[in-house]
Amino acid sequence: MQRKRFFYIIELQYLGFRFHGWQKQPDVNTLQRMVERTLAYVLGERRFKTLAAGRTDAKVSANQAAFELFVEEEALDVDEFFPLFNKNLPQDIRALSIKETDAKFNIIQHSKRKEYLYLFSFGEKFHPFCAPLMYNHVEVLNIPLMQEAAKLFEGKHDFRSYCHRPNEHTVTEGEIMTSEIIKNNIYTANFFPENSYVLRVKGAGFKRNQIRLMMGVLFDLGTGKITIDFIKDTLDRNKEKITLEHIVPGSGLILNSVEFIEE
């Protein structure tokens, strides 16, 4: 006899600095490991499974992420479960909401848009408290030129140069709705540098390390190591793939939002 299954979408936010990404791995601390450990404590003997909307890399944070929770046998008492789940999560993870869904919903395949932010500053070394959320580039950066180049990523492109170690099955084409570098007034703190910046990118989906490679090539442009024509060449479908090596640290990257699109 097939067990009855109940489906929930849980939104959460986390500081990723002490975690080795979302996906559970042996011998390291990951977000999935901590979330599932908390679920096991709260749900006791009840069988459950989780499925994330996407996998963040080591040290990457999220202002709004989501995962699907499958619970067998009987429905959750949400009013009882949700505050207890939140109470027992570690302090660098917070659940934002819970919503019941059904078997037709698949959190991976469902259409969605994601917005990522990469926070950075340059010049004088910043306060160490900034390290979990921001990257400091010690060389002076040409911000206006980087702002011009960031707009090149908008639209439909083959992002094969911005996909780390793709295989023959990797789909490298994609579309970016927004790509811009702006002055940072989104995340602030009294220990942040006087001037900081954000690469803001929004799209339906991103390849492995794509935004960190985009930020790396923009840094190379901002310091004069490459020209803007080089970036244009990386997005030209008629040219051979250009292998990019500059992957910036994950600690400056934030998954700012996930928006599920009604189909």
Side-chain angles (χ1 to χ4, degrees):
M1 181 178 176
Q2 188 174 8
R3 290 186 176 94
K4 192 167 184 181
R5 179 175 275 192
F6 298 87
F7 307 83
Y8 303 89
I9 303 169
I10 297 180
E11 292 184 334
L12 74 168
Q13 54 191 186
Y14 51 81
L15 180 65
F17 198 62
R18 74 182 180 102
F19 296 104
H20 290 257
W22 173 268
Q23 188 177 10
K24 195 158 49 177
Q25 304 171 54
D27 304 322
V28 294
N29 197 20
T30 69
L31 287 145
Q32 184 182 17
R33 177 174 176 262
M34 293 306 299
V35 166
E36 291 187 352
R37 177 181 288 183
T38 305
L39 286 167
Y41 175 76
V42 172
L43 295 174
E45 299 298 320
R46 296 180 61 180
R47 293 164 60 96
F48 71 87
K49 180 183 175 182
T50 66
L51 187 64
R55 302 170 183 173
T56 48
D57 293 335
K59 299 183 183 298
V60 175
S61 297
N63 178 60
Q64 183 208 2
F67 72 94
E68 195 169 1
L69 172 64
F70 310 90
V71 179
E72 296 189 355
E73 297 173 3
E74 62 181 80
L76 293 176
D77 181 338
V78 171
D79 292 336
E80 178 182 339
F81 162 79
F82 189 71
L84 190 59
F85 175 58
N86 230 340
K87 178 182 177 181
N88 285 282
L89 283 169
Q91 293 197 6
D92 44 7
I93 306 175
R94 179 172 72 154
L96 298 173
S97 67
I98 184 170
K99 181 175 72 173
E100 188 167 6
T101 183
D102 56 39
K104 296 177 184 176
F105 179 83
N106 182 298
I107 200 165
I108 294 177
Q109 297 176 357
H110 195 94
S111 297
K112 52 189 169 290
R113 294 190 191 97
K114 295 180 180 180
E115 182 181 73
Y116 281 94
L117 307 177
Y118 196 93
L119 275 64
F120 67 95
S121 65
F122 68 89
E124 184 180 357
K125 193 168 185 178
F126 56 33
H127 194 294
F129 290 0
C130 299
L133 291 172
M134 186 182 296
Y135 178 69
N136 177 244
H137 198 284
V138 294
E139 297 176 77
V140 174
L141 296 172
N142 184 337
I143 296 295
L145 183 60
M146 292 170 65
Q147 288 173 320
E148 179 185 350
K151 302 301 288 183
L152 296 173
F153 295 113
E154 291 183 346
K156 294 181 179 179
H157 298 284
D158 186 342
F159 290 103
R160 63 197 185 280
S161 293
Y162 297 88
C163 181
H164 184 57
R165 295 179 181 173
N167 59 46
E168 65 272 18
H169 304 297
T170 303
V171 177
T172 58
E173 293 82 7
E175 181 178 10
I176 290 178
M177 293 83 170
T178 302
S179 175
E180 60 180 358
I181 290 177
I182 56 176
K183 200 88 174 278
N184 173 36
N185 58 12
I186 302 171
Y187 292 101
T188 60
N190 61 8
F191 52 81
F192 275 17
E194 182 178 353
N195 292 310
S196 59
Y197 301 87
V198 175
L199 171 65
R200 176 174 171 261
V201 183
K202 189 171 186 177
F206 298 95
K207 316 307 173 190
R208 183 185 179 194
N209 289 341
Q210 180 176 343
I211 296 169
R212 292 167 64 190
L213 283 162
M214 288 167 57
M215 190 75 256
V217 82
L218 289 170
F219 281 154
D220 289 346
L221 175 69
T223 53
K225 294 182 175 69
I226 60 171
T227 66
I228 199 166
D229 286 334
F230 176 87
I231 296 180
K232 291 176 182 177
D233 286 345
T234 65
L235 298 169
D236 190 336
R237 299 183 190 198
N238 297 317
K239 291 186 178 290
E240 291 295 319
K241 177 188 173 182
I242 298 172
T243 301
L244 301 173
E245 302 291 346
H246 190 174
I247 302 175
V248 296
S251 51
L253 187 60
I254 298 172
L255 173 57
N256 200 46
S257 65
V258 178
E259 176 189 358
F260 293 104
I261 303 166
E262 295 299 326
E263 297 179 319

PDB file of all heavy atoms in Angstrom, residues 4 25 33 43 56 82 84 101 104 110 120 126 133 176 189 192 201-202 211 213 231 244:
ATOM      1  N   LYS A   4       0.708   7.822   2.077  1.00  0.00           N
ATOM      2  CA  LYS A   4       0.261   9.148   1.708  1.00  0.00           C
ATOM      3  C   LYS A   4       1.376  10.139   1.991  1.00  0.00           C
ATOM      4  O   LYS A   4       2.067  10.038   3.002  1.00  0.00           O
ATOM      5  CB  LYS A   4      -1.008   9.521   2.486  1.00  0.00           C
ATOM      6  CG  LYS A   4      -1.691  10.761   1.935  1.00  0.00           C
ATOM      7  CD  LYS A   4      -3.074  10.931   2.506  1.00  0.00           C
ATOM      8  CE  LYS A   4      -3.759  12.125   1.842  1.00  0.00           C
ATOM      9  NZ  LYS A   4      -5.110  12.354   2.381  1.00  0.00           N
ATOM     10  N   GLN A  25      27.305  16.573   2.347  1.00  0.00           N
ATOM     11  CA  GLN A  25      28.554  15.927   1.969  1.00  0.00           C
ATOM     12  C   GLN A  25      29.153  15.251   3.198  1.00  0.00           C
ATOM     13  O   GLN A  25      28.924  15.699   4.327  1.00  0.00           O
ATOM     14  CB  GLN A  25      29.560  16.965   1.444  1.00  0.00           C
ATOM     15  CG  GLN A  25      29.078  17.801   0.287  1.00  0.00           C
ATOM     16  CD  GLN A  25      30.052  18.926  -0.019  1.00  0.00           C
ATOM     17  OE1 GLN A  25      31.238  18.694  -0.215  1.00  0.00           O
ATOM     18  NE2 GLN A  25      29.562  20.151  -0.051  1.00  0.00           N
ATOM     19  N   ARG A  33      22.577  19.446   5.737  1.00  0.00           N
ATOM     20  CA  ARG A  33      22.818  18.604   6.917  1.00  0.00           C
ATOM     21  C   ARG A  33      22.185  19.204   8.164  1.00  0.00           C
ATOM     22  O   ARG A  33      21.518  18.501   8.941  1.00  0.00           O
ATOM     23  CB  ARG A  33      24.323  18.429   7.112  1.00  0.00           C
ATOM     24  CG  ARG A  33      24.729  17.634   8.351  1.00  0.00           C
ATOM     25  CD  ARG A  33      26.239  17.407   8.333  1.00  0.00           C
ATOM     26  NE  ARG A  33      26.687  16.727   9.542  1.00  0.00           N
ATOM     27  CZ  ARG A  33      27.207  17.358  10.590  1.00  0.00           C
ATOM     28  NH1 ARG A  33      27.332  18.682  10.577  1.00  0.00           N
ATOM     29  NH2 ARG A  33      27.596  16.689  11.640  1.00  0.00           N
ATOM     30  N   LEU A  43      10.510  16.363  13.976  1.00  0.00           N
ATOM     31  CA  LEU A  43       9.518  15.415  13.485  1.00  0.00           C
ATOM     32  C   LEU A  43       9.608  14.050  14.166  1.00  0.00           C
ATOM     33  O   LEU A  43       8.706  13.220  14.009  1.00  0.00           O
ATOM     34  CB  LEU A  43       9.668  15.241  11.968  1.00  0.00           C
ATOM     35  CG  LEU A  43       9.373  16.486  11.120  1.00  0.00           C
ATOM     36  CD1 LEU A  43       9.697  16.213   9.656  1.00  0.00           C
ATOM     37  CD2 LEU A  43       7.926  16.921  11.275  1.00  0.00           C
ATOM     38  N   THR A  56      23.575  26.232  -3.314  1.00  0.00           N
ATOM     39  CA  THR A  56      24.546  27.315  -3.189  1.00  0.00           C
ATOM     40  C   THR A  56      25.916  26.734  -2.850  1.00  0.00           C
ATOM     41  O   THR A  56      26.024  25.678  -2.229  1.00  0.00           O
ATOM     42  CB  THR A  56      24.118  28.316  -2.109  1.00  0.00           C
ATOM     43  OG1 THR A  56      23.744  27.610  -0.927  1.00  0.00           O
ATOM     44  CG2 THR A  56      22.941  29.162  -2.579  1.00  0.00           C
ATOM     45  N   PHE A  82       6.046  24.910  12.687  1.00  0.00           N
ATOM     46  CA  PHE A  82       6.912  25.961  12.160  1.00  0.00           C
ATOM     47  C   PHE A  82       7.696  26.703  13.247  1.00  0.00           C
ATOM     48  O   PHE A  82       8.921  26.845  13.128  1.00  0.00           O
ATOM     49  CB  PHE A  82       6.103  26.936  11.305  1.00  0.00           C
ATOM     50  CG  PHE A  82       6.955  27.925  10.566  1.00  0.00           C
ATOM     51  CD1 PHE A  82       7.742  27.518   9.508  1.00  0.00           C
ATOM     52  CD2 PHE A  82       6.982  29.257  10.941  1.00  0.00           C
ATOM     53  CE1 PHE A  82       8.543  28.424   8.823  1.00  0.00           C
ATOM     54  CE2 PHE A  82       7.777  30.164  10.271  1.00  0.00           C
ATOM     55  CZ  PHE A  82       8.567  29.748   9.208  1.00  0.00           C
ATOM     56  N   LEU A  84       8.509  25.642  16.171  1.00  0.00           N
ATOM     57  CA  LEU A  84       9.415  24.686  16.801  1.00  0.00           C
ATOM     58  C   LEU A  84      10.621  24.419  15.899  1.00  0.00           C
ATOM     59  O   LEU A  84      11.762  24.327  16.374  1.00  0.00           O
ATOM     60  CB  LEU A  84       8.662  23.387  17.096  1.00  0.00           C
ATOM     61  CG  LEU A  84       9.383  22.348  17.957  1.00  0.00           C
ATOM     62  CD1 LEU A  84       9.745  22.918  19.327  1.00  0.00           C
ATOM     63  CD2 LEU A  84       8.536  21.093  18.104  1.00  0.00           C
ATOM     64  N   THR A 101       1.762  22.636  -0.506  1.00  0.00           N
ATOM     65  CA  THR A 101       1.577  22.522  -1.943  1.00  0.00           C
ATOM     66  C   THR A 101       1.095  21.100  -2.257  1.00  0.00           C
ATOM     67  O   THR A 101       0.537  20.445  -1.385  1.00  0.00           O
ATOM     68  CB  THR A 101       2.889  22.890  -2.678  1.00  0.00           C
ATOM     69  OG1 THR A 101       2.661  22.848  -4.081  1.00  0.00           O
ATOM     70  CG2 THR A 101       4.039  21.992  -2.311  1.00  0.00           C
ATOM     71  N   LYS A 104       1.885  17.974  -7.776  1.00  0.00           N
ATOM     72  CA  LYS A 104       2.119  18.553  -9.102  1.00  0.00           C
ATOM     73  C   LYS A 104       3.293  19.533  -9.088  1.00  0.00           C
ATOM     74  O   LYS A 104       3.890  19.814 -10.123  1.00  0.00           O
ATOM     75  CB  LYS A 104       0.863  19.274  -9.589  1.00  0.00           C
ATOM     76  CG  LYS A 104      -0.340  18.353  -9.792  1.00  0.00           C
ATOM     77  CD  LYS A 104      -1.555  19.177 -10.192  1.00  0.00           C
ATOM     78  CE  LYS A 104      -2.788  18.291 -10.308  1.00  0.00           C
ATOM     79  NZ  LYS A 104      -4.012  19.090 -10.615  1.00  0.00           N
ATOM     80  N   HIS A 110       9.889  23.722 -11.527  1.00  0.00           N
ATOM     81  CA  HIS A 110       8.938  24.828 -11.603  1.00  0.00           C
ATOM     82  C   HIS A 110       9.658  26.110 -12.058  1.00  0.00           C
ATOM     83  O   HIS A 110      10.774  26.395 -11.621  1.00  0.00           O
ATOM     84  CB  HIS A 110       8.296  25.060 -10.235  1.00  0.00           C
ATOM     85  CG  HIS A 110       7.074  25.926 -10.291  1.00  0.00           C
ATOM     86  ND1 HIS A 110       5.807  25.404 -10.385  1.00  0.00           N
ATOM     87  CD2 HIS A 110       6.922  27.264 -10.271  1.00  0.00           C
ATOM     88  CE1 HIS A 110       4.931  26.396 -10.418  1.00  0.00           C
ATOM     89  NE2 HIS A 110       5.585  27.535 -10.344  1.00  0.00           N
ATOM     90  N   PHE A 120      30.987  43.981  -2.974  1.00  0.00           N
ATOM     91  CA  PHE A 120      32.446  44.160  -2.985  1.00  0.00           C
ATOM     92  C   PHE A 120      32.809  45.609  -2.703  1.00  0.00           C
ATOM     93  O   PHE A 120      31.997  46.532  -2.840  1.00  0.00           O
ATOM     94  CB  PHE A 120      33.033  43.701  -4.322  1.00  0.00           C
ATOM     95  CG  PHE A 120      32.636  44.538  -5.513  1.00  0.00           C
ATOM     96  CD1 PHE A 120      33.454  45.574  -5.967  1.00  0.00           C
ATOM     97  CD2 PHE A 120      31.459  44.282  -6.202  1.00  0.00           C
ATOM     98  CE1 PHE A 120      33.105  46.329  -7.069  1.00  0.00           C
ATOM     99  CE2 PHE A 120      31.092  45.048  -7.314  1.00  0.00           C
ATOM    100  CZ  PHE A 120      31.917  46.073  -7.746  1.00  0.00           C
ATOM    101  N   PHE A 126      39.030  46.292   4.369  1.00  0.00           N
ATOM    102  CA  PHE A 126      37.878  46.603   5.198  1.00  0.00           C
ATOM    103  C   PHE A 126      37.945  45.944   6.578  1.00  0.00           C
ATOM    104  O   PHE A 126      38.848  45.151   6.874  1.00  0.00           O
ATOM    105  CB  PHE A 126      36.565  46.264   4.489  1.00  0.00           C
ATOM    106  CG  PHE A 126      36.407  44.828   4.010  1.00  0.00           C
ATOM    107  CD1 PHE A 126      36.951  43.755   4.679  1.00  0.00           C
ATOM    108  CD2 PHE A 126      35.657  44.562   2.856  1.00  0.00           C
ATOM    109  CE1 PHE A 126      36.765  42.454   4.249  1.00  0.00           C
ATOM    110  CE2 PHE A 126      35.464  43.250   2.414  1.00  0.00           C
ATOM    111  CZ  PHE A 126      36.020  42.204   3.111  1.00  0.00           C
ATOM    112  N   LEU A 133      30.232  38.660   4.257  1.00  0.00           N
ATOM    113  CA  LEU A 133      29.226  39.170   3.320  1.00  0.00           C
ATOM    114  C   LEU A 133      29.803  39.935   2.133  1.00  0.00           C
ATOM    115  O   LEU A 133      29.059  40.263   1.214  1.00  0.00           O
ATOM    116  CB  LEU A 133      28.252  40.106   4.054  1.00  0.00           C
ATOM    117  CG  LEU A 133      27.306  39.462   5.057  1.00  0.00           C
ATOM    118  CD1 LEU A 133      26.563  40.534   5.834  1.00  0.00           C
ATOM    119  CD2 LEU A 133      26.319  38.544   4.341  1.00  0.00           C
ATOM    120  N   ILE A 176      19.620  36.409 -19.102  1.00  0.00           N
ATOM    121  CA  ILE A 176      19.718  37.250 -17.910  1.00  0.00           C
ATOM    122  C   ILE A 176      18.870  38.491 -18.137  1.00  0.00           C
ATOM    123  O   ILE A 176      19.044  39.208 -19.127  1.00  0.00           O
ATOM    124  CB  ILE A 176      21.182  37.622 -17.610  1.00  0.00           C
ATOM    125  CG1 ILE A 176      21.943  36.377 -17.127  1.00  0.00           C
ATOM    126  CG2 ILE A 176      21.271  38.723 -16.575  1.00  0.00           C
ATOM    127  CD1 ILE A 176      23.408  36.616 -16.835  1.00  0.00           C
ATOM    128  N   ALA A 189      25.963  48.296   7.239  1.00  0.00           N
ATOM    129  CA  ALA A 189      26.332  48.108   8.642  1.00  0.00           C
ATOM    130  C   ALA A 189      27.318  49.208   8.994  1.00  0.00           C
ATOM    131  O   ALA A 189      28.008  49.748   8.113  1.00  0.00           O
ATOM    132  CB  ALA A 189      26.964  46.732   8.877  1.00  0.00           C
ATOM    133  N   PHE A 192      30.804  48.566   7.687  1.00  0.00           N
ATOM    134  CA  PHE A 192      31.054  48.469   6.251  1.00  0.00           C
ATOM    135  C   PHE A 192      31.899  49.668   5.801  1.00  0.00           C
ATOM    136  O   PHE A 192      31.835  50.738   6.410  1.00  0.00           O
ATOM    137  CB  PHE A 192      29.738  48.478   5.478  1.00  0.00           C
ATOM    138  CG  PHE A 192      29.086  47.118   5.338  1.00  0.00           C
ATOM    139  CD1 PHE A 192      29.451  46.052   6.140  1.00  0.00           C
ATOM    140  CD2 PHE A 192      28.087  46.915   4.399  1.00  0.00           C
ATOM    141  CE1 PHE A 192      28.845  44.814   6.004  1.00  0.00           C
ATOM    142  CE2 PHE A 192      27.480  45.681   4.252  1.00  0.00           C
ATOM    143  CZ  PHE A 192      27.866  44.627   5.059  1.00  0.00           C
ATOM    144  N   VAL A 201      22.315  40.574 -10.352  1.00  0.00           N
ATOM    145  CA  VAL A 201      22.017  39.748 -11.522  1.00  0.00           C
ATOM    146  C   VAL A 201      20.717  38.999 -11.287  1.00  0.00           C
ATOM    147  O   VAL A 201      20.518  38.385 -10.226  1.00  0.00           O
ATOM    148  CB  VAL A 201      23.150  38.732 -11.796  1.00  0.00           C
ATOM    149  CG1 VAL A 201      22.853  37.942 -13.058  1.00  0.00           C
ATOM    150  CG2 VAL A 201      24.488  39.435 -11.927  1.00  0.00           C
ATOM    151  N   LYS A 202      19.829  39.044 -12.271  1.00  0.00           N
ATOM    152  CA  LYS A 202      18.540  38.354 -12.154  1.00  0.00           C
ATOM    153  C   LYS A 202      18.283  37.549 -13.411  1.00  0.00           C
ATOM    154  O   LYS A 202      18.457  38.037 -14.535  1.00  0.00           O
ATOM    155  CB  LYS A 202      17.416  39.377 -11.944  1.00  0.00           C
ATOM    156  CG  LYS A 202      16.071  38.749 -11.584  1.00  0.00           C
ATOM    157  CD  LYS A 202      15.074  39.828 -11.172  1.00  0.00           C
ATOM    158  CE  LYS A 202      13.774  39.206 -10.672  1.00  0.00           C
ATOM    159  NZ  LYS A 202      12.809  40.246 -10.208  1.00  0.00           N
ATOM    160  N   ILE A 211      28.041  33.324 -11.715  1.00  0.00           N
ATOM    161  CA  ILE A 211      28.123  34.715 -11.263  1.00  0.00           C
ATOM    162  C   ILE A 211      29.500  35.022 -10.696  1.00  0.00           C
ATOM    163  O   ILE A 211      30.032  36.122 -10.879  1.00  0.00           O
ATOM    164  CB  ILE A 211      27.006  35.008 -10.245  1.00  0.00           C
ATOM    165  CG1 ILE A 211      25.658  34.865 -10.953  1.00  0.00           C
ATOM    166  CG2 ILE A 211      27.150  36.407  -9.653  1.00  0.00           C
ATOM    167  CD1 ILE A 211      24.474  34.864 -10.057  1.00  0.00           C
ATOM    168  N   LEU A 213      32.270  33.750 -11.780  1.00  0.00           N
ATOM    169  CA  LEU A 213      33.120  33.943 -12.956  1.00  0.00           C
ATOM    170  C   LEU A 213      32.828  35.285 -13.624  1.00  0.00           C
ATOM    171  O   LEU A 213      33.754  35.968 -14.106  1.00  0.00           O
ATOM    172  CB  LEU A 213      32.911  32.798 -13.950  1.00  0.00           C
ATOM    173  CG  LEU A 213      33.598  31.478 -13.589  1.00  0.00           C
ATOM    174  CD1 LEU A 213      32.997  30.319 -14.373  1.00  0.00           C
ATOM    175  CD2 LEU A 213      35.104  31.559 -13.837  1.00  0.00           C
ATOM    176  N   ILE A 231      35.449  40.581 -23.055  1.00  0.00           N
ATOM    177  CA  ILE A 231      34.175  40.125 -22.481  1.00  0.00           C
ATOM    178  C   ILE A 231      33.156  39.886 -23.589  1.00  0.00           C
ATOM    179  O   ILE A 231      32.401  38.895 -23.556  1.00  0.00           O
ATOM    180  CB  ILE A 231      33.651  41.136 -21.444  1.00  0.00           C
ATOM    181  CG1 ILE A 231      34.630  41.223 -20.273  1.00  0.00           C
ATOM    182  CG2 ILE A 231      32.260  40.749 -20.954  1.00  0.00           C
ATOM    183  CD1 ILE A 231      34.223  42.184 -19.174  1.00  0.00           C
ATOM    184  N   LEU A 244      37.766  30.657 -18.496  1.00  0.00           N
ATOM    185  CA  LEU A 244      38.007  31.688 -17.492  1.00  0.00           C
ATOM    186  C   LEU A 244      38.434  31.034 -16.192  1.00  0.00           C
ATOM    187  O   LEU A 244      37.850  30.034 -15.769  1.00  0.00           O
ATOM    188  CB  LEU A 244      36.738  32.523 -17.274  1.00  0.00           C
ATOM    189  CG  LEU A 244      36.188  33.231 -18.521  1.00  0.00           C
ATOM    190  CD1 LEU A 244      34.842  33.877 -18.214  1.00  0.00           C
ATOM    191  CD2 LEU A 244      37.176  34.274 -19.035  1.00  0.00           C
TER     192      LEU A 244
END
